[in-house]
Amino acid sequence: FDIITAASGTTNISVGAVGGSATAFVNAYTIGTTAGRQYPTTKAGGALAWEDVGTSDVRLNVTNSAATSAGEVRLTVLYQQNTNYS
């Protein structure tokens, strides 16, 4: 996550799958009140960030909660495509 403009300290971001769990990949990750880059795989809420989905496509759904002020966050998704020889 790149926090462009920080919001309140209780702002949580979740990333899930459309039509599936709303928190499948990131579960209520607190972005805090400081702008800059954060890595959810090393902090609470980001433990599910890496997922093996095989050869299926996944559409992402991003939600926020507990914000008491406006902010701006850029989400960058890194992935490695699985081979599909069939």
Side-chain angles (χ1 to χ4, degrees):
F1 294 113
D2 290 315
I3 291 77
I4 309 303
T5 306
S8 68
T10 57
T11 302
N12 300 319
I13 297 191
S14 295
V15 180
V18 172
S21 170
T23 60
F25 305 110
V26 177
N27 183 10
Y29 178 74
T30 301
I31 62 169
T33 58
T34 305
R37 182 163 290 170
Q38 294 191 23
Y39 304 93
T41 57
T42 61
K43 295 183 180 179
L48 305 174
W50 293 101
E51 178 78 16
D52 184 351
V53 296
T55 57
S56 61
D57 292 332
V58 176
R59 292 177 36 210
L60 298 179
N61 182 43
V62 179
T63 57
N64 70 310
S65 61
T68 57
S69 63
E72 182 181 2
V73 175
R74 179 185 307 125
L75 170 66
T76 303
V77 177
L78 302 175
Y79 71 95
Q80 180 176 346
Q81 181 68 41
N82 195 357
T83 56
N84 184 0
Y85 295 117
S86 57

